[in-house]
Amino acid sequence: MHPSLPFITVALCTHNHADRLERTLKTLAELHPTEQPWEMLVIDNGSTDGTPLLLADNGWHPAGIAVRVVREERLGLSNARNRALREARGEYLLFMDDDETPDPDWLCAYERAMQEWRPDALGGRIEVFFEDGVRPPWLQDELLGFLGKLDHGAARWLDAPGTPIFGGNFAFRRSVFGTIGDFDARLGRMGKANIGGEDTEIYRRLLAHGCRVRWVPEAIIHHRIQTPKLRRGYFLDLHFRQGRSEGAAKRGSGRRIPPPYLFAQWLRAVGRAVGRRLGSGADQSLRLEMNAAYFCGFLLGWIRDRG
């Protein structure tokens, strides 16, 4: 590494979350100092609220750390992350979200793993923190992963599709994107559109290219959940949109009429959801309702969209 260049670029992509972002930026001052230099890169993804004004005030800058703010007008989290790829100067590029609080040792834990193992990509533990209210009774433990919670246990190499790394706390050797390509701009949140899947898609691409992915459980970040904004509809919409995207991709340029087995899957999913809700109540049925929403989206994407 050139002595004048940072070892790590921490990239934070944000869109119209000035209230959450302000708290996140303040936590950067609490990070333990690293052995090698790092830089802070903030990508303002077309914000129209108070975000530009907040970022223009350098009072939040961590002491002794180079900070750059870049505006990306093309809306979409993947577009913002791809802009970070172009702007970053570090050997490693570490992403975080604008509603997170990193553990003070978060950055140092990643630095130690990067220096010891020299992986192509890394992922860290994400804990969920309900910052301003009581957890809703319908929010079962199995649903916390859809709010970003992630824990793969002890430190190890990840090599299975079922052990993804999440966008709220993952890092890459910057050069690896020359092999695997950029983030898929069709995936990821776009403004208010509740689209996901870009992080698991790029993780699978890493595996397909034989890249080495290291799990770093000591690199902990806390995803702050604004409890009053939690809605069942968020989870249903997330799965409907995911299904629609995957349905369109699966059909490709084929016939618009879905194969019969998809209708059978849809009917079974809807039947199970209705049965659980009638039998056990709404607090116990959301996971099955999410499956039904997914198949509804999948069928619609197959019929109406083109992959």
Side-chain angles (χ1 to χ4, degrees):
M1 184 183 72
H2 192 281
S4 65
L5 294 177
F7 180 54
I8 300 174
T9 296
V10 176
L12 189 159
C13 303
T14 186
H15 171 74
N16 283 354
H17 286 160
D19 55 340
R20 306 181 201 177
L21 177 63
E22 182 175 14
R23 180 171 175 181
T24 298
L25 294 176
K26 289 179 179 178
T27 67
L28 298 176
E30 301 171 8
L31 292 175
H32 293 163
T34 56
E35 293 183 0
Q36 299 192 64
W38 64 281
E39 67 170 348
M40 186 70 202
L41 175 64
V42 181
I43 307 296
D44 176 4
N45 190 204
S47 296
T48 56
D49 63 351
T51 295
L53 187 62
L54 171 64
L55 294 175
D57 181 358
N58 62 11
W60 61 268
H61 291 193
I65 302 302
V67 174
R68 286 181 294 139
V69 177
V70 176
R71 187 170 175 91
E72 172 56 58
E73 296 292 355
R74 291 175 300 168
L75 195 60
L77 179 55
S78 289
N79 285 327
R81 285 181 175 154
N82 287 335
R83 180 65 181 272
L85 302 184
R86 311 286 178 260
E87 298 287 343
R89 300 183 302 151
E91 180 179 345
Y92 280 94
L93 177 56
L94 171 55
F95 287 98
M96 66 180 298
D97 288 339
D98 57 15
D99 56 355
E100 295 180 326
T101 297
D103 182 85
D105 197 48
W106 171 70
L107 190 54
C108 292
Y110 269 125
E111 182 188 41
R112 291 191 296 268
M114 292 167 180
Q115 291 176 320
E116 180 177 1
W117 302 103
R118 311 302 294 182
D120 298 304
L122 311 90
R125 203 166 96 219
I126 304 176
E127 297 292 342
V128 174
F129 173 60
F130 299 96
E131 63 178 349
D132 51 9
V134 178
R135 176 176 162 179
W138 49 262
L139 187 57
Q140 304 296 312
D141 287 348
E142 63 180 349
L143 300 179
L144 294 180
F146 299 108
L147 295 176
K149 182 177 175 61
L150 186 67
D151 188 352
H152 293 316
R156 59 193 173 103
W157 294 104
L158 300 178
D159 56 9
T163 56
I165 51 180
F166 284 178
N169 190 14
F170 61 10
F172 304 84
R173 184 189 295 275
R174 191 156 51 92
S175 60
V176 81
F177 290 96
T179 300
I180 69 172
D182 293 353
F183 288 92
D184 189 338
R186 298 170 299 178
L187 302 175
R189 180 176 289 275
M190 298 182 188
K192 294 183 178 180
N194 192 18
I195 303 170
E198 81 291 345
D199 42 11
T200 53
E201 188 276 335
I202 207 162
Y203 169 71
R204 289 168 184 158
R205 226 188 307 156
L206 285 164
L207 298 185
H209 283 83
C211 297
R212 300 164 71 241
V213 183
R214 188 71 183 174
W215 173 247
V216 188
E218 301 87 3
I220 304 169
I221 213 160
H222 301 269
H223 181 204
R224 304 189 309 269
I225 305 297
Q226 295 178 313
T227 312
K229 294 185 178 181
L230 278 178
R231 300 176 296 105
R232 296 170 62 93
Y234 166 83
F235 296 89
L236 297 174
D237 182 60
L238 180 68
H239 278 67
F240 176 82
R241 289 179 181 272
Q242 180 183 354
R244 184 165 183 172
S245 174
E246 293 183 7
K250 183 70 173 178
R251 174 198 154 207
S253 59
R255 298 174 66 242
R256 286 185 178 273
I257 301 175
Y261 76 87
L262 287 179
F263 289 103
Q265 289 178 331
W266 169 66
L267 286 172
R268 283 196 297 270
V270 171
R272 288 169 182 161
V274 172
R276 177 66 62 83
R277 180 144 188 172
L278 292 176
S280 302
D283 289 348
Q284 305 296 323
S285 63
L286 181 56
R287 187 67 185 90
L288 292 179
E289 292 177 35
M290 290 157 58
N291 290 342
Y294 171 86
F295 281 109
C296 288
F298 197 99
L299 284 172
L300 183 63
W302 187 296
I303 294 169
R304 294 191 56 183
D305 303 331
R306 188 181 183 92

